[in-house]
């Protein structure tokens, strides 16, 4: 036992600059109050104006409330740091086993080569290999995926020693070899091996892609493994029995790499699928994995990653263990959530995919309040917590004993284990309710995290400088908006269900944490206020109805202050967390667009569902893009290109503001007396801002000629609609 027995394994630091924050928060709050006073004291007489006034006032009240809610994740963010050297000094001999779940669902949208790259990165963690168990769940039930994994199991015997010997990073062969194209010259041995491994990888990749094109496995390859027999017997994507194959058995001391070192366990699983059975998407796959792994390796810690989220840091397992194994504070930690980054983000991030403020500001804020939500991927779990166990105080874990007990519990045959992944296994059980991931919600991960926290656990957000996991971001506007639609729909459903954090969490988790959840749960609720704010003031402008204070009146000051303070603070936050000015402008635009489309559709979907019209469906975001689209993505040109009602909304609003603005300008030039500039100034500025933010839409409609421009049918429809609305307002 060393001197540092009682030094903690991780450290928590609070953010600085709190005085400035409070100054901002309090003054903005006062500004908002003054705006309310103005709205009440200047309540208009005239009928039409009164309705518009009430609408604007409601929108402003909503914004104020939502702004207050979002302060819950701002006032005291915390940042975590780990001490891996202390971990290995104290616990190297008793490090727990780790079960790693990789989920894939479609071999076309999620190409096998990408999936095995991810698998190889998690096999190559800097961790005792016999303690790593990697499970690939293939909901696509694809023979090609199985073949690819078989190839990966062979390749790992070369790749793992290569990584170990030369400290290769990142440990995804695809990324590693594509980012370092040239042969390293300074080290002859390295250069030689580098070239050999690269060639082997290249050949493997070509073999897999060849088979992918062919669509089936040639007979001579089928002899390589008995697993292929399942497909010979007629397994198809929607109808097959459980396929469970151990490709590398790490418990077997004969499973060795080319240097005679042990290998991690590698398992392929396609849970049973039958038509007419509800499969519950990824949550169903995860629950099957939890059960199956409990009979094979039964490790106390589970990591789950999406198949596109490769590990960019071979130390991530050790980092996570610093939290779970900390003597003081580790016992009540249920999961350690890493942020989801993408390696496809361009400099100014046109589609705001980085979600910079959420990742860098809000999740650390939620961490301080009791723990971040579980966001579905890149998350280390304590098996017990995920399976449904309550947190018990004073439950110290003896990691050495823990490992032994678990190994005993897990002894079953493969045939017995397969039953656990059957379609009917969950009938009349608590799986999907109290055990495992919850079912029935498009964001089942959030709901699961919430219920884990409500069972007395906390969670931790860990965002190391070198990213833990990197995925693929959507590369077109529509993909991004559709992805966000699913999220916002799921969130609002949670809010409206019995799982609403304010009710479900009442008395179980801190109030601040309940409110933190509401920031996201109420995303969709923003759409009405925003729609009102970008449509009604310009129409009122045409009708000469003024909704804001005159420029010369002192009441304009609170508006100006709240506006400037809020946006400067937001810009400050963005730049502080490493963004660019243009990135901020793009991010603001994306939030506006999400509110106008994704959130609206989210609400609409929720209403339909509550009336019983539509069933839950789950769209997988494609991880492949056309060359054309990719090129524009890299040049940060906004991609429209397809016909979608979402674009109709965006284009109509952009045109409406443009037409109003032009009309007013024309009137001011031709006949200045008819317009009261002083009273309408704020509305004119508002329309001007909407135009500034919509620049890419105007370009897409009128100036671009490439394939990603706005489809002309949408331009015409929106033009007609916007003109009609203006005429209606004028006469
Ligand atoms: C990924 O890892 C490499 C080193 O292996 C590092 O240079 C790079 O910055 C990491 N990427 C991110 C986004 O952190
Ligand atoms: C879908 C897509 O555009 N993927 C790209 C992500 O970024 C990598 C490397 O930057 C590209 O190779 C992929 O084509």
């Amino acid at each position: 036992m060393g001197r540092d027995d009682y030094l903690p394994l991780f450290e928590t630091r609070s953010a600085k600059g709190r005085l400035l924050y409070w100054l901002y928060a309090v003054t903005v709050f006062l500004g908002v109050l003054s705006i309310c006073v103005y709205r009440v004291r200047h309540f208009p007489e005239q009928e039409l104006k009164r309705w518009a006034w009430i609408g604007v006032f409601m929108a402003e009240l909503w914004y104020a409330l939502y702004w207050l809610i979002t302060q819950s994740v701002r006032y005291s963010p915390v940042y975590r740091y780990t001490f891996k050297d202390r971990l290995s000094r104290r616990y190297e001999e008793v490090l727990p086993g780790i079960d790693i779940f990789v989920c894939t669902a479609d071999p076309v949208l999620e190409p096998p080569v990408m999936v095995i790259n991810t698998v190889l990165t998690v096999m190559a963690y800097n961790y005792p290999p016999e303690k790593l168990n990697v499970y690939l769940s293939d909901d696509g039930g694809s023979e090609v995926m199985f073949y690819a994994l078989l190839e990966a199991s062979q390749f790992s015997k070369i790749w793992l020693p290569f990584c170990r010997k030369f400290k290769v990073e990142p440990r995804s062969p695809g990324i590693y070899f594509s980012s370092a194209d040239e042969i390293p010259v300074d080290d002859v041995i390295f250069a030689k091996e580098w070239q050999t491994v690269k060639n082997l990888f290249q050949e493997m990749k070509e073999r897999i892609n060849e088979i992918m094109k062919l669509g089936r496995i040639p007979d001579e390859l089928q002899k390589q493994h008995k697993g292929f027999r399942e497909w010979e017997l007629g397994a198809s994507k929607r109808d097959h029995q459980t396929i469970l194959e151990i490709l590398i058995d790490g418990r077997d001391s004969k499973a060795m790499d080319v240097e005679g070192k042990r290998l991690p366990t590698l398992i392929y699983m396609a849970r049973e699928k039958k038509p007419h059975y509800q499969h519950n998407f990824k949550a169903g796959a995860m629950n099957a994995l939890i059960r199956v792994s409990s009979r094979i390796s039964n490790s106390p810690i589970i990591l789950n990653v999406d198949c596109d989220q490769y590990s960019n840091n071979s130390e991530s397992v050790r980092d996570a263990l610093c939290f779970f194994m900390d003597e003081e504070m580790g016992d009540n930690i249920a999961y350690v959530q890493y942020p989801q980054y993408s390696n496809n983000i361009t400099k100014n991030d046109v589609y705001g995919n980085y979600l910079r403020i959420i990742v860098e500001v809000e999740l650390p804020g939620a961490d301080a309040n009791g723990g971040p939500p579980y966001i579905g991927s890149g998350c280390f779990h304590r098996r017990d917590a995920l399976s449904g166990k309550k947190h018990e105080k004073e439950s110290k874990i003896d990691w050495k004993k823990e490992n032994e007990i678990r190994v005993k519990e897990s002894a079953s045959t493969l045939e017995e284990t397969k039953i656990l992944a059957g379609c009917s296994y969950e009938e009349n059980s608590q799986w999907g309710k109290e055990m495992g991931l919850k079912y029935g919600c498009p964001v089942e991960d959030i709901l699961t995290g919430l219920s884990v926290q409500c069972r007395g656990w906390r969670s931790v957000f860990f965002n190391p400088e070198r990213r833990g996991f990197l995925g693929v971001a959507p590369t077109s506007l529509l993909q991004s908006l559709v992805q966000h639609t699913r999220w916002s729909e799921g969130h609002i459903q949670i809010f409206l269900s019995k799982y609403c954090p304010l009710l479900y969490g009442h008395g179980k988790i801190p109030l601040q944490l309940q409110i933190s959840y509401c920031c996201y749960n109420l995303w969709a609720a923003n759409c009405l206020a925003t729609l009102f704010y970008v449509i009604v003031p310009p129409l009122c402008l045409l009708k000469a109805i003024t909704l804001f204070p005159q420029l010369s009146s002192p009441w304009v000051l609170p508006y100006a202050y709240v506006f400037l303070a809020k946006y400067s603070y937001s810009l400050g936050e963005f730049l502080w967390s490493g963004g660019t000015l243009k990135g901020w402008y793009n991010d603001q635009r994306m939030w506006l667009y999400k509110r106008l489309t994704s959130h609206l559709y989210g609400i609409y979907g929720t209403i339909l569902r509550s009336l019983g019209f539509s069933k839950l469906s789950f769209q997988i975001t494609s991880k492949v893009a056309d060359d054309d689209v990719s090129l524009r993505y890299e040049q940060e040109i906004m991609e429209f290109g397809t016909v979608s009602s979402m674009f109709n909304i965006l284009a109509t609003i952009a045109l409406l503001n443009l037409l109003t603005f032009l009309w007013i300008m024309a009137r001011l030039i031709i006949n200045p007396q008819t317009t009261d500039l002083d009273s309408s100034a704020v509305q004119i500025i508002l329309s001007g801002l909407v135009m500034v933010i919509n620049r890419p839409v105007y370009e897409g409609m009128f100036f671009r000629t490439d394939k990603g421009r706005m489809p002309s049918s949408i331009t015409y429809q929106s033009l007609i609609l916007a003109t009609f609305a203006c005429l209606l307002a004028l006469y």
Side-chain angles (χ1 to χ4, degrees):
M1 292 262 154
R3 237 173 349 116
D4 60 1
D5 269 358
Y6 299 104
L7 288 179
L9 294 179
F10 71 92
E11 172 185 83
T12 305
R13 286 188 212 147
S14 307
K16 297 197 183 66
R18 291 302 87 190
L19 190 66
L20 201 65
Y21 166 77
W22 283 111
L23 192 68
Y24 155 78
V26 170
T27 50
V28 167
F29 186 69
L30 293 177
V32 169
L33 286 185
S34 334
I35 290 177
C36 293
V37 171
Y38 165 78
R39 284 287 173 212
V40 173
R41 285 193 36 186
H42 293 77
F43 198 73
E45 296 292 309
Q46 191 221 342
E47 171 89 26
L48 198 58
K49 182 168 175 180
R50 200 186 300 160
W51 285 115
W53 192 273
I54 292 174
V56 177
F57 190 23
M58 302 271 271
E60 282 161 356
L61 281 179
W62 168 257
Y63 281 144
L65 178 68
Y66 190 71
W67 176 83
L68 268 179
I69 291 173
T70 57
Q71 298 317 302
S72 70
V73 286
R74 286 207 159 55
Y75 68 95
S76 68
V78 294
Y79 302 92
R80 313 276 187 178
Y81 302 87
T82 57
F83 303 104
K84 294 187 282 286
D85 50 333
R86 294 179 190 167
L87 177 82
S88 61
R89 261 199 306 257
R90 261 180 268 170
Y91 291 115
E92 192 63 37
E93 298 309 315
V94 294
L95 287 175
I98 312 282
D99 287 352
I100 303 174
F101 299 168
V102 181
C103 295
T104 178
D106 189 312
V108 177
L109 296 178
E110 302 172 330
V113 172
M114 177 188 81
V115 177
I116 63 166
N117 264 308
T118 303
V119 167
L120 285 165
T121 59
V122 294
M123 287 176 81
Y125 273 128
N126 172 18
Y127 201 73
E130 65 278 9
K131 290 182 178 173
L132 289 175
N133 308 280
V134 181
Y135 295 78
L136 177 72
S137 156
D138 178 17
D139 265 357
S142 150
E143 197 177 10
V144 182
M145 196 66 85
F146 180 72
Y147 169 74
L149 198 66
L150 188 63
E151 285 277 2
S153 72
Q154 297 300 330
F155 184 68
S156 69
K157 294 177 185 168
I158 301 150
W159 179 244
L160 268 48
F162 178 69
C163 290
R164 215 169 27 231
K165 205 153 122 199
F166 300 108
K167 303 225 169 348
V168 165
E169 292 281 353
R171 298 195 168 179
S172 155
I175 304 288
Y176 176 69
F177 288 121
S178 71
S179 60
D181 276 331
E182 280 140 49
I183 305 175
V185 278
D186 41 352
D187 183 340
V188 188
I189 305 175
F190 180 38
K192 196 160 154 257
E193 279 201 42
W194 189 93
Q195 194 57 55
T196 321
V197 177
K198 181 174 179 176
N199 290 347
L200 284 171
F201 176 69
Q202 212 59 37
E203 287 161 19
M204 172 177 79
K205 202 165 124 181
E206 276 156 25
R207 281 197 301 273
I208 295 173
N209 286 336
E210 199 67 26
I211 303 263
M212 187 76 194
K213 255 187 247 145
L214 201 62
R216 59 174 190 87
I217 312 292
D219 294 342
E220 67 275 12
L221 282 180
Q222 297 208 357
K223 295 198 189 76
Q224 278 186 5
H225 199 280
K226 65 178 173 38
F228 289 114
R229 233 175 283 152
E230 303 277 355
W231 284 277
E232 243 171 75
L233 297 174
S236 70
K237 177 171 179 182
R238 288 177 212 296
D239 191 359
H240 62 78
Q241 53 173 318
T242 304
I243 305 173
L244 185 64
E245 293 291 339
I246 302 187
L247 296 179
I248 302 177
D249 189 349
R251 294 168 299 182
D252 178 1
S253 53
K254 285 199 290 286
M256 282 187 292
D257 63 29
V258 289
E259 291 194 332
K261 292 259 168 54
R262 297 281 290 272
L263 281 170
T265 298
L266 180 65
I267 291 175
Y268 174 90
M269 180 194 91
R271 61 195 167 122
E272 187 184 23
K273 287 284 180 69
K274 289 270 173 276
H276 316 303
Y277 269 96
Q278 178 56 267
H279 297 298
N280 296 305
F281 313 102
K282 192 173 131 195
M286 282 281 290
N287 284 346
L289 281 170
I290 294 174
R291 291 191 298 268
V292 165
S293 64
S294 76
R295 297 294 176 83
I296 296 178
S297 45
N298 200 25
S299 305
I301 306 291
I302 291 174
L303 160 66
N304 93 282
V305 286
D306 284 347
C307 63
D308 64 322
Q309 299 254 325
Y310 72 91
S311 161
N312 196 50
N313 187 341
S314 63
E315 299 291 333
S316 292
V317 174
R318 287 170 186 268
D319 276 323
L321 287 179
C322 286
F323 296 101
F324 290 117
M325 297 179 85
D326 183 75
E327 293 84 350
E328 274 295 302
M329 286 178 286
D331 288 327
N332 71 342
I333 294 174
Y335 57 90
V336 177
Q337 178 67 62
Y338 280 70
Q340 295 180 1
Y341 283 106
S342 319
N343 64 344
N344 272 68
I345 302 286
T346 50
K347 180 156 168 270
N348 300 313
D349 193 11
V350 230
Y351 303 122
N353 287 322
Y354 192 122
L355 299 175
R356 188 178 293 275
I357 296 303
I358 295 185
V359 165
E360 307 282 345
V361 179
E362 299 188 355
L363 289 180
D367 193 356
N369 296 343
Y374 162 41
I375 48 179
S377 176
C379 187
F380 286 86
H381 301 268
R382 191 185 290 274
R383 178 184 285 271
D384 290 344
L386 190 59
S387 317
K389 210 165 146 190
K390 279 207 174 77
H391 172 61
E392 287 155 22
K393 291 218 169 58
E394 300 308 318
S395 59
K396 289 272 176 230
I397 294 183
D398 178 340
W399 289 96
K400 185 157 188 265
K401 273 207 202 116
E402 181 82 4
N403 290 340
E404 287 164 5
I405 296 170
R406 294 208 175 248
V407 170
K408 272 205 206 94
E409 277 175 4
S410 66
S412 328
T413 66
L414 213 52
E415 285 312 311
E416 283 168 356
T417 309
K418 274 188 184 177
I419 298 170
L420 304 181
C423 286
S424 51
Y425 184 83
E426 292 181 349
E427 276 172 13
N428 304 321
S429 76
Q430 287 299 315
W431 284 99
K433 299 182 199 114
E434 289 307 310
M435 292 166 81
L437 274 84
K438 287 196 185 288
Y439 294 155
C441 176
V443 289
E444 75 283 335
D445 38 8
I446 305 285
L447 196 52
T448 305
L450 175 66
S451 68
V452 167
Q453 289 171 335
C454 286
R455 287 197 292 264
W457 302 91
R458 74 156 295 143
S459 58
V460 161
F461 182 67
F462 186 56
N463 186 9
E465 189 129 334
R466 192 159 106 218
R467 309 310 183 195
F469 301 92
L470 292 177
V472 180
T475 47
S476 80
L477 178 61
L478 193 61
Q479 273 178 13
S480 214
L481 293 177
V482 167
Q483 185 185 53
H484 203 84
T485 304
R486 179 160 61 81
W487 291 344
S488 59
E489 185 175 340
H491 273 286
I492 191 81
Q493 278 170 20
I494 293 178
F495 189 80
L496 299 174
S497 72
K498 66 175 179 191
Y499 294 112
C500 172
L502 298 176
L503 303 174
Y504 186 63
H506 180 71
K508 298 188 192 122
I509 55 174
L511 182 65
Q512 311 92 286
L513 187 59
Q514 297 169 26
I515 298 176
S516 312
Y517 270 99
C518 293
C519 293
Y520 312 109
N521 288 169
L522 289 173
W523 261 342
N526 277 307
C527 72
L528 292 180
T530 309
L531 276 169
F532 194 91
Y533 235 77
V534 294
I535 294 177
V536 175
L539 290 180
C540 286
L541 195 57
L542 292 178
K543 246 191 141 24
I545 298 176
T546 56
L547 295 173
F548 294 91
Q550 292 155 335
L551 211 49
S552 54
S553 130
W555 286 109
V556 85
L557 289 177
Y559 276 95
Y561 179 74
V562 169
F563 178 83
L564 289 177
K566 178 161 185 307
Y567 283 98
S568 336
Y569 188 81
S570 146
L571 176 63
E573 248 178 4
F574 201 86
L575 296 179
W576 170 84
S577 54
T580 59
L581 184 64
K582 187 143 184 236
W584 178 73
Y585 165 64
N586 288 335
D587 199 52
Q588 293 301 313
R589 175 182 319 115
M590 277 313 289
W591 279 108
L592 177 69
Y593 287 4
K594 284 172 188 170
R595 286 176 169 194
L596 295 177
T597 58
S598 308
H599 294 171
L600 184 67
Y601 283 46
I603 293 253
Y604 179 67
T606 306
I607 294 174
L608 279 191
R609 225 151 81 84
S610 66
L611 298 176
F613 281 122
S614 66
K615 284 238 304 269
L616 190 61
S617 70
F618 189 97
Q619 282 160 319
I620 307 170
T621 323
S622 176
K623 311 294 188 311
V624 277
D626 291 348
D627 289 348
D628 225 29
V629 176
S630 289
L631 187 65
R632 281 194 289 273
Y633 176 68
E634 261 147 51
Q635 295 170 335
E636 308 198 319
I637 300 174
M638 200 163 248
E639 180 75 27
F640 302 101
T642 30
V643 176
S644 158
S645 49
M646 285 190 170
F647 295 159
N648 270 326
I649 299 180
L650 297 181
T652 308
I653 289 171
L655 286 172
L656 180 70
N657 282 279
L658 178 70
L659 291 179
T660 317
F661 193 81
L662 292 180
W663 175 261
I664 295 295
M665 286 303 137
R667 214 160 55 180
L668 276 176
I669 293 165
I670 298 163
N671 200 351
Q673 287 82 27
T674 53
T675 311
D676 179 0
L677 193 56
D678 194 25
S679 319
S680 30
V682 176
Q683 269 154 279
I684 296 176
I685 293 172
L686 200 62
S687 278
L689 286 171
V690 174
M691 285 165 52
V692 169
I693 206 103
N694 269 314
R695 210 186 90 177
V697 173
Y698 301 129
E699 283 173 357
M701 284 191 288
F702 304 124
F703 302 114
R704 277 167 54 186
T705 50
D706 57 87
K707 267 202 223 147
R709 68 194 296 268
M710 189 71 89
S712 23
S713 63
I714 291 193
T715 308
Y716 295 136
Q717 286 162 10
S718 308
L719 203 55
I720 293 169
L721 210 63
T723 318
F724 184 68
C726 290
L727 289 178
L728 214 62
L730 277 172
Y731 302 108

